[in-house]
């Protein structure tokens, strides 16, 4: 498998005004729409600055969470796979991204049973990990593993701890051999062979970093985690995530990358 970070393209979606009603587990306050727009715009600008071609799709007011394009598909250099989100309010997003993916990928596969959201899929250098969660079930994960095999990728099924929205809410790669994880996921068997780095105390929310080429994007309020990354020689770039965090999202959620 090629580097899991050597992206050249990303596909995002502009937030619709309804995004302030996006799903959140804790029933907390709505995000501020202007702030959401600003966070998404800075994110897109950063990906472009890192050299990616970024297309931004039209907002979808009927789907408050549709700006989180990561959850409805998987994208690889060899092709893309349409997923089946487990959140009922998000299922309809898939139809709205189909044409955009078909136009950009030589092969477009599609799940037909069960549920998987892309936030539960962690791409490693040599395999893909699919985490079971409240949004991703075993039926869906098993079918997805078969579809991934058709694209030439080996998949393993893992378990996301209760209370963690998506597998990647709790872990992300710092580099091809190193995973940043919340303490609750430190013993995940799929991390065998990787160096496991824990989020500092009180910074569990920092685990959803996003590595793009040689840079790691990190939420700007996670100062201890950023200092740790910098100490490891990583080019860590802070981005504001306060508004998207109100609807349970982090940095990987806002794009599909390949
Ligand atoms: C949701 O609950 O579906 C959205 N409010 C947040 C999605 C976050 N996506 C991700 O972690 N990949």
């Amino acid at each position: 498998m090629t580097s899991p970070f050597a992206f050249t393209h990303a596909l995002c979606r502009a937030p619709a005004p309804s995004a302030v009603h996006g799903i959140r587990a804790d029933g907390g306050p709505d995000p501020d729409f202007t702030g959401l727009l600003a966070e998404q715009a800075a994110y897109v600008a950063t990906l472009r600055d890192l050299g990616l071609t970024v297309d931004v799709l039209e907002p979808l007011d009927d789907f408050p969470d549709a700006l989180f394009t990561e959850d409805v598909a998987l994208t690889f250099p060899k092709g893309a796979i349409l997923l089946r989100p487990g959140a009922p309010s998000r299922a309809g997003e898939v139809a709205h991204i189909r044409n955009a993916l078909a136009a950009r990928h030589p092969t477009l596969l599609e799940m037909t049973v069960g549920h998987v959201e892309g936030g539960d899929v962690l791409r490693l250098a040599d395999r893909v990990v699919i985490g079971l969660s409240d949004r991703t079930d075993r039926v869906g994960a098993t079918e997805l593993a078969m579809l991934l095999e058709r694209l030439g990728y080996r998949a393993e099924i893992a378990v996301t701890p209760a209370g963690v929205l998506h597998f990647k809410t709790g872990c992300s790669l710092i580099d091809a051999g190193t995973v940043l994880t919340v303490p609750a996921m430190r013993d995940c068997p799929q991390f065998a062979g990787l160096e496991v780095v824990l989020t500092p105390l009180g910074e569990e929310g920092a685990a959803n970093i996003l590595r793009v080429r040689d840079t790691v994007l990190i939420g700007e309020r996670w100062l201890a985690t950023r200092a740790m990354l910098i100490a490891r020689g990583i080019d860590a770039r802070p981005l504001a995530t306060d508004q998207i965090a109100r609807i349970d999202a982090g940095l990987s959620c806002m794009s599909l990358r390949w």
Side-chain angles (χ1 to χ4, degrees):
M1 196 183 271
T2 51
S3 157
F5 318 116
F7 306 120
T8 53
H9 292 80
L11 189 60
C12 301
R13 187 180 292 285
S18 65
V20 300
H21 305 304
I23 307 170
R24 73 217 70 176
D26 70 359
D30 287 354
D32 165 67
F33 184 56
T34 308
L36 261 186
L37 287 173
E39 287 180 4
Q40 205 252 0
Y43 179 85
V44 169
T46 299
L47 294 183
R48 287 184 175 141
D49 189 51
L50 293 174
L52 274 61
T53 299
V54 185
D55 293 327
V56 182
L57 302 172
E58 290 298 308
L60 292 177
D61 210 42
D62 288 345
F63 297 96
D65 290 296
L67 72 155
F68 305 122
T69 53
E70 173 176 76
D71 292 320
V72 296
L74 296 182
T75 48
F76 299 92
K78 292 179 191 168
I81 304 175
L82 291 168
L83 302 177
R84 289 169 55 89
S89 67
R90 303 202 57 187
E93 294 173 28
V94 178
H96 291 275
I97 208 159
R98 180 188 309 270
N99 289 346
L101 291 177
R104 290 166 175 80
H105 293 273
T107 303
L108 183 60
L109 305 178
E110 186 166 358
M111 284 181 61
T112 60
V113 291
H115 298 287
V116 174
E117 294 192 0
D120 284 315
V121 181
L122 177 69
R123 186 178 164 195
L124 303 180
D126 60 346
R127 63 206 143 96
V128 176
V129 179
I130 308 167
L132 303 178
S133 72
D134 285 350
R135 303 286 184 89
T136 292
D137 58 27
R138 192 169 286 280
V139 172
T142 303
E143 184 186 42
L144 179 60
M146 284 164 41
L147 296 174
L148 283 164
E149 207 173 303
R150 281 172 59 187
L151 291 181
Y153 300 116
R154 181 163 67 85
E156 292 178 5
I157 297 177
V159 174
T160 307
V164 177
L165 170 61
H166 286 130
F167 192 72
K168 282 188 300 190
T169 310
C171 69
S172 323
L173 288 189
I174 295 174
D175 57 43
T178 314
V179 63
L180 174 68
T181 179
V182 294
M185 292 173 69
R186 68 188 305 165
D187 295 324
C188 179
Q190 282 70 30
F191 296 162
L194 297 174
E195 181 187 356
V196 176
V197 173
L198 299 186
T199 50
L201 194 64
E203 296 210 354
E204 289 76 11
N208 186 260
I209 53 172
L210 175 61
R211 177 143 182 160
V212 176
R213 298 187 175 183
D214 294 329
T215 297
V216 167
L217 308 183
I218 178 166
E220 70 180 356
R221 67 184 172 291
W222 309 119
L223 300 180
T225 309
R226 176 151 48 115
M228 183 177 75
L229 293 175
I230 291 168
R232 297 177 70 94
I234 302 285
D235 173 29
R237 215 183 271 205
L239 280 174
T241 54
D242 292 336
Q243 302 307 317
I244 61 164
R246 289 187 175 195
I247 44 176
D248 297 350
L251 290 166
S252 71
C253 324
M254 284 195 289
S255 61
L256 282 167
R257 306 157 293 275
W258 66 95

